[in-house]
Every structure is written in C-alpha cells, then in structure tokens.
C-alpha cells in the first residue's frame, strides 16, 4: 500500500490524538505532543483540526503534522516508522512541493526532532539546518519538591490572571480570557492544567500549562512564562517545579519541554528546576 497524505478532519481527529499519545515514550525524541494540539485549540476546534496533516499506510497513521503557521509544519513520526524509507521519501516530496498542499513556495521550515532518515533526505535535497532548539526532560519517578510559591490551578474565575501573565511574558501573544475558555472547553484539556504562581504580595508572577499524554507517558510544558516585571527572582524555576509536580499527579512518567537554544535564560531555568538538557536539534529550512 502506498503512503496517503490527508487532512483527517473532525472524524479522524481522535485517531490522530490516539496516535500521538502512543508515540510518546521516555528516551524517544521530544517530538510533536498531544499538548501541542491542545495549546493550538485556543484558536478553536475548526482551526486546530484544519491545521493537522497525516501520512498513513493501509489505514495506519505513520506521521502527523501540525501547521503551526502557513510556513512551518511540526512533525511526529511513529517509533516503528523512524527509518521507513518509503515514508521518509514521501514526507520529503510532500513538504518540498507546494502543489502537494503542505508548505507554500518561498521560505518555509520543518520541525522534525525525530525521523533521522527523513532529516537526512531533506538535507540531501538542499534544505539547511536553521534555528536550533533545546529539548529538556525531567524524570518523575520520584516525588517532586515543593516549589516555594503559592500555586493556583486556573479555572474560569482565574482565567483573566492566566491570560494576563501570558500576554506580559510573550511580546506578541494574543492570549485572552476568551481564548483560555475556548482551549479549556476542548477535549484535550481534560488531561491538562494551567497553573499560576503568586508572590508574597499575591501578585501573579508566572504561569504554565501542562499536558498529559496519559499515565506512564511523558507530559509536556507548553507554554511557560514569567511576567517581565518579576523576573530575576527564581519564579521561572518555581513554576517549572510546580509544573513537574502537576504532571506527576496526572500520572506522567516525565516532564518535557523544548525552548530555542538561543534563549539561554530559559535553558538555565529548566535545568535549575531539575530538567536534563538533551542535544540541540535544529529546524530545517528551505530558502526562496
């Protein structure tokens, strides 16, 4: 059977989520996670479903892509298909040729921290390494220490505080209370928590969202941010420790996160919170 590229739509979305959950394993590459789809859900169910691509053979999903923007696709590949030559060649053709309906003409990027063969073939086809990302992982087999701050789990009444920290922490963020409500109403949020950290004056200083992939599987931090008015006090480390504790309560085997390697402050924050820094992995870029 040949490889089939498709948009799964609403009917096939649950199968995509199931596959992504099953592909999360400790020791495997930190690749596209169900939580990435959950975070994208802030833009609504229709937008999230429309952004998903799948590659299947004989009805079995072998790779999943999320169009993070029109010029960037983020990929996950099934563990058993990491060296599948037919799949790798099909992926290269589909992301390289605009008529396939994945990426357009011009400058485009692929995030693929998995699939060594696929990455090799892209490089052979003239793509180049671009922005490096640093994956980090913390084992959750042992209890997590207290973070030292008051932590609140966000519900509808606290959504404004969660959204306000997000907008302050990320310059171009468009996150709002309404978008939190949309995200929280999605099915993927049933395995997620938003946390907000407060200082001694009850000021919201940091926030994070964590996503479980199910018991015994790695969970994800996406995103984590500290209010710029309150940086330099260890609040990033504290909220990251709290995130690890929340994922352990959800049954996750480990906590994972990826950050741009150039953001040395973020890498330092995660390592100070007990995360192990893994080898950097660059995105792959095709120039116009």
């Amino acid at each position: 059977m040949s490889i089939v590229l498709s948009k799964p739509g609403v009917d096939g979305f649950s199968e995509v989520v199931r596959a992504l959950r099953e592909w999360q394993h400790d020791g495997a590459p930190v690749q596209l996670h169900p939580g990435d789809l959950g975070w994208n859900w802030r833009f609504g169910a229709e937008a999230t479903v429309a952004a998903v691509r799948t590659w299947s053979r004989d009805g079995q999903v072998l790779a999943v892509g999320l169009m993070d923007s029109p010029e960037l696709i983020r990929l996950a590949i099934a563990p058993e298909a990491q060296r599948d030559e037919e799949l790798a060649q099909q992926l290269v053709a589909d992301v390289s040729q605009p008529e396939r309906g994945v990426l357009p003409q011009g400058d485009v990027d692929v995030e693929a921290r998995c699939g060594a063969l696929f990455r090799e073939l892209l490089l052979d086809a003239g793509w180049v390494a671009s922005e490096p990302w640093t994956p980090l992982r913390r084992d959750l087999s042992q209890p997590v220490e207290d973070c030292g701050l008051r932590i609140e789990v966000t519900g509808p009444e606290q959504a404004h505080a969660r959204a306000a920290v997000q907008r302050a922490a990320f310059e171009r963020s468009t996150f709002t209370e309404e978008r939190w409500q949309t995200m929280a109403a999605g099915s993927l949020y049933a395995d997620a928590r938003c946390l907000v950290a407060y200082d001694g004056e009850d000021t919201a200083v940091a926030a994070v969202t964590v996503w479980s992939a199910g018991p015994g599987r790695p969970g994800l931090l996406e995103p984590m941010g500290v209010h710029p008015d309150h940086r330099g006090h260890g609040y990033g480390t504290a909220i990251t420790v709290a995130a690890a504790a929340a994922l352990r309560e959800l049954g996750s085997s480990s906590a994972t996160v990826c950050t741009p390697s150039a953001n040395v402050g973020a890498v330092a924050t995660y390592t100070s919170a007990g995360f192990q820094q893994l080898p950097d992995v660059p995105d792959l870029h095709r120039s116009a």
Side-chain angles (χ1 to χ4, degrees), residues 118-141:
F118 167 59
R119 292 179 60 88
E120 291 168 10
L121 292 178
L122 269 187
L123 292 169
D124 289 344
W127 292 62
V128 297
S130 58
E131 181 180 23
W133 288 75
T134 300
L136 301 103
R137 176 182 283 113
R138 173 170 171 158
D139 178 76
L140 297 179
S141 59

Side-chain angles (χ1 to χ4, degrees), residues 11 25 43 75 96 116-117 122 145 170 174 179 197 216 259:
D11 292 342
H25 292 282
F43 299 118
L75 288 169
S96 299
L117 178 59
L122 269 187
E145 67 273 20
F170 297 93
T174 59
R179 285 192 169 166
T259 190

Side-chain angles (χ1 to χ4, degrees), residues 18-159:
R18 183 198 62 77
L20 285 178
R21 289 180 187 276
E22 291 183 354
W23 298 349
Q24 309 302 316
H25 292 282
D26 291 312
V30 179
Q31 59 177 350
L32 187 71
H33 189 278
D36 292 308
L37 274 61
W39 175 240
N40 196 87
W41 204 277
R42 69 195 188 278
F43 299 118
E46 183 177 348
T48 300
V49 171
V52 174
R53 305 289 184 272
T54 60
W55 286 262
S56 306
R57 181 195 292 123
D58 196 21
Q60 179 185 2
V61 178
L62 299 177
V64 173
L66 174 66
M67 302 301 302
D68 206 40
S69 75
E71 295 80 28
L72 169 63
I73 187 168
R74 305 173 61 192
L75 288 169
I77 298 175
E80 67 273 15
Q82 297 283 318
R83 301 292 302 183
D84 187 311
E85 186 168 355
E86 182 187 17
L87 174 64
Q89 291 179 345
Q90 184 70 47
L91 285 168
V92 170
D94 288 339
V95 302
S96 299
Q97 301 174 29
E99 63 269 21
R100 301 290 183 101
V102 180
L103 292 169
Q105 295 274 11
D107 291 332
V108 293
D109 291 276
V110 169
E111 176 196 287
R113 304 187 185 110
C114 53
L117 178 59
F118 167 59
R119 292 179 60 88
E120 291 168 10
L121 292 178
L122 269 187
L123 292 169
D124 289 344
W127 292 62
V128 297
S130 58
E131 181 180 23
W133 288 75
T134 300
L136 301 103
R137 176 182 283 113
R138 173 170 171 158
D139 178 76
L140 297 179
S141 59
Q142 301 299 318
V144 177
E145 67 273 20
D146 184 80
C147 75
L149 289 178
R150 180 169 71 86
I151 303 293
E152 280 197 1
V153 177
T154 302
E157 294 181 355
Q158 297 84 27

Side-chain angles (χ1 to χ4, degrees), residues 237-248:
T237 298
I239 193 71
T240 301
V241 170
L247 283 172
R248 190 172 191 273

